[in-house]
């Protein structure tokens, strides 16, 4: 198939200027089409939503939603999206209260990691990204231990 590893510069040049990979057009097309699919089916499709859509790029490859929020909406519908957004918001809000009371490097880095992941995963598929759930788990345990004045032991 002639697959070879491109340098970062070659990839950016081909995807941005020459239209070889249609990187940005594919993402916009995917967001548009998957949003239409979500609006047409607000209850969601379940974990294999991509079987209902055959959005492909200029090379004939299937394109995913490229957004954690769209992925959650397509999987769990409006209720799944609402519960997921509330969960993320509550964890972030409670972790922020810990950070505001205790400016330790651990708490600051954990909060920054969570916010950074949520922002980053808004532009790539990430609902099943293990680091999201790992950071969320650490955040929940940290908030619980802090509020109950427990010190984690090794």
């Amino acid at each position: 198939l002639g697959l070879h590893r491109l340098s970062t510069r070659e990839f950016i040049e081909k995807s941005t200027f020459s239209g070889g990979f249609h990187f940005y057009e594919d993402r916009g097309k995917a967001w548009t089409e998957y949003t239409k699919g979500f609006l047409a089916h607000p209850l969601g499709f379940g974990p294999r939503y991509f079987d209902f859509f055959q959005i492909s790029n200029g090379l004939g490859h299937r394109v995913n939603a490229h957004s954690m929020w769209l992925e959650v909406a397509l999987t769990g519908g409006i209720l799944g999206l609402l519960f997921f957004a509330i969960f993320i918001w509550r964890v972030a809000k409670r972790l922020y209260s810990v950070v505001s009371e205790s400016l330790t490097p651990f708490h600051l880095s954990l909060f920054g990691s969570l916010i950074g992941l949520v922002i980053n995963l808004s532009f790539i598929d990430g609902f099943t990204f293990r680091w999201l759930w790992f950071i969320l788990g650490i955040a929940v345990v940290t908030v619980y231990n802090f509020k109950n004045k427990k010190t984690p032991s090794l």
Side-chain angles (χ1 to χ4, degrees):
L1 293 173
L3 297 175
H4 63 282
R5 185 167 172 85
L6 297 175
S7 69
T8 304
R9 181 180 175 162
E10 290 173 316
F11 180 78
I12 291 172
E13 286 173 353
K14 285 189 175 188
S15 63
T16 306
F17 302 112
S18 71
F21 291 118
H22 307 287
F23 182 75
Y24 298 105
E25 295 107 16
D26 291 343
R27 189 171 302 253
K29 178 182 175 185
W31 286 345
T32 302
E33 293 301 316
Y34 282 122
T35 300
K36 287 178 187 175
F38 167 65
L39 294 174
H41 303 283
L43 295 179
F45 294 101
R48 295 189 52 94
Y49 70 88
F50 46 85
D51 286 342
F52 295 96
F53 296 101
Q54 293 300 320
I55 298 171
S56 62
N57 63 9
L59 300 174
H61 299 118
R62 186 170 50 196
V63 178
N64 290 333
H66 289 296
S67 170
M68 172 182 66
W69 301 105
L70 258 178
E71 194 175 9
V72 170
L74 289 165
T75 302
I78 190 73
L79 288 177
L81 180 62
L82 181 67
F83 286 130
F84 184 70
I86 290 170
F87 175 68
I88 296 288
W89 171 255
R90 289 183 61 134
V91 170
K93 184 179 172 186
R94 289 181 179 183
L95 187 57
Y96 179 76
S97 71
V98 169
V99 168
S100 63
E101 288 181 42
S102 166
L103 287 173
T104 65
F106 173 75
H107 294 141
L108 285 170
S109 63
L110 184 60
F111 183 71
S113 297
L114 178 61
I115 298 303
L117 267 174
V118 169
I119 291 169
N120 181 265
L121 295 177
S122 296
F123 302 101
I124 62 173
D125 295 325
F127 185 55
T128 58
F129 188 58
R130 68 180 63 111
W131 286 106
L132 170 69
W133 297 105
F134 182 72
I135 296 295
L136 282 170
I138 291 175
V140 167
V141 169
T142 299
V143 169
Y144 176 80
N145 285 339
F146 187 82
K147 296 297 181 185
N148 292 308
K149 306 294 184 210
K150 293 183 180 180
T151 305
S153 59
L154 298 175

